[in-house]
Amino acid sequence: MTSNGPPTQLGQIPTELALTERQLDPFPWYETMRETAPVRYDEKRDCWDIFRYNDIDTVLCNHEQFSSRLSSTDGSTRGTSPGERKDTMIRVDPPEHGRLRGPVDEHFTAGSLRNYRPELERLVDETLDKALADGSEIEIVSEVAFPITIGVIAELLGLPTNDRDQFIQWSRGMLPPQKTRGEDPRRERTNPVNKIHKYFEEIIDERKRNPGDGLISELVRYGEDGSRLTEKEVFDTCNLLLGAGHITSVSLLTSAIWMFAKHNIVPEIRDGSISLDSAVDEVLRYRSPLHTMPRITRTEVEVGDTQIPKGERVVAWIGSANRDEQEFETPAEFVPTRTPNRHIAFGAGAHYCLGAPLARLEADVALSKFFERVYEIEITTRKCEPIVHPTLHGIKSLQIDVGTEL
Ligand code: HEM
């Protein structure tokens, strides 16, 4: 159970969640663990699981004791190929963390994203025009959530307009497989990530020679005073933004439409009697898009009443923290007007989600425009299929029938 042992299995799903139904509804297990074993060692995965809100908040806010510097053999699902060293901001601790996050940070504040809103509105309008053009049946993941979230990343990175369709096509291959209406069955599934990597390399090279608009140009230009990110760091940052920023937001948009329909609050969202912002926060709490965050102990630490030795892997179950009865009243209920709502779906501490203001903006624009046009939703998916993944939480697809304004 030490870091000198064989590669750990942080990227593995615990036995207790192995059944597909448990992936969709892990919450009864979380409740049992919060009550009976809030900090436990799992021999099979060689890591410590932490389930209570307060303990998890401490872990995430305390990088001196809980490091994010996991190696590629830690089985983390964040995209490092075996043997490859990848020091993105999410995998390093302060002060190195600040050097990598600093140049990107300023582009993701609520203030600087305000200028991006009109472009986002245009992207959402175009996507909804297309999705609603063919009648009343829509598959939300592939026709609404994915084109919006991936389109946003392509725009923010400043990818040339002519390349965007190809980029979107490759990125589709990163979504969990599903059957969708009108989809070409021959669609590209072979190694889309390699194609995206090659494309990023080419575009970074091009931007070095001919800087243009967008984040890639900014990053390449950044720090010409000597604090410049290396080319490899710019490349890793592009990959991180793509990986961290699109499937999470797809899950938020899909779960929001699913929850609003399931709990019959579409009319109240439309007329504003339930605030969209607070309802979105409740979706983030109730169906957090990420359920686990990995760390490694830098010293011997005490969590709750349990001693964890130095060099141990730790999994903070934020999906459980967000249902903790010590923090939330009636945590198992979906309460779209919940205040306060101190969920930690975006994490906490130094690694608090860089893209949180963007995810909130996407949800605000996409959902308000969606519900301006759609006044009624019937869920036609017979059985929601969960994404089966050690970190991600959500459903693979959501088929709905909508009533639209004339
Ligand atoms: C609903 C959508 C999202 C959720 C639930 C989410 C959740 C999270 C969480 C929990 C972390 C903390 C990781 C840790 O502590 O190890 C994180 C970090 C991060 N997220 Fe997000 N995220 C979302 C959307 C986005 C978007 C849209 C982007 C960018 C386009 C993004 C980029 C990042 C980056 C770069 C980090 C690393 C920050 C750091 O290490 O300092 N995320 N996210």
Side-chain angles (χ1 to χ4, degrees), residues 60 78 89-90 97 101 108 153 240-241 244-245 248-249 252 284 289-290 293 295 318 345-347 350-355 358-359 362:
L60 298 183
R78 286 167 179 170
M89 66 183 94
I90 206 162
H97 171 258
R101 179 160 168 154
F108 283 87
I153 292 190
L240 173 65
L241 293 175
T248 46
S249 293
L252 173 59
L284 283 161
L290 296 178
M293 287 294 110
R295 294 290 188 269
I318 55 178
F346 289 121
H351 293 276
Y352 179 80
C353 177
L354 171 98
L358 177 61
E362 284 173 355

Side-chain angles (χ1 to χ4, degrees), residues 8-71:
T8 187
Q9 301 304 322
L10 281 187
Q12 216 180 52
I13 294 166
T15 318
E16 293 90 338
L17 296 182
L19 291 177
T20 310
E21 306 86 75
R22 277 272 160 265
Q23 288 281 308
L24 196 61
D25 187 15
F27 305 105
W29 180 61
Y30 293 163
E31 190 181 340
T32 306
M33 296 309 280
R34 283 193 304 273
E35 217 173 283
T36 60
V39 180
R40 70 114 189 224
Y41 175 69
D42 182 1
E43 210 159 304
K44 225 169 172 188
R45 287 154 54 243
D46 184 20
C47 64
W48 296 79
D49 292 307
I50 303 187
F51 295 94
R52 285 187 179 157
Y53 183 100
N54 279 341
D55 293 339
I56 290 171
D57 200 41
T58 306
V59 168
L60 298 183
C61 290
N62 186 349
H63 59 83
E64 313 247 305
Q65 289 184 310
F66 298 92
S67 170
S68 292
R69 202 172 250 293
L70 299 132
S71 75

Side-chain angles (χ1 to χ4, degrees), residues 1-8 41 46 48 69-71 73-74 295-298 309-313:
M1 92 189 186
T2 73
S3 56
N4 299 326
T8 187
Y41 175 69
D46 184 20
W48 296 79
R69 202 172 250 293
L70 299 132
S71 75
T73 50
D74 281 326
R295 294 290 188 269
I296 188 156
T297 55
R298 283 173 143 183
K310 179 180 171 178
E312 296 288 302
R313 285 100 178 178

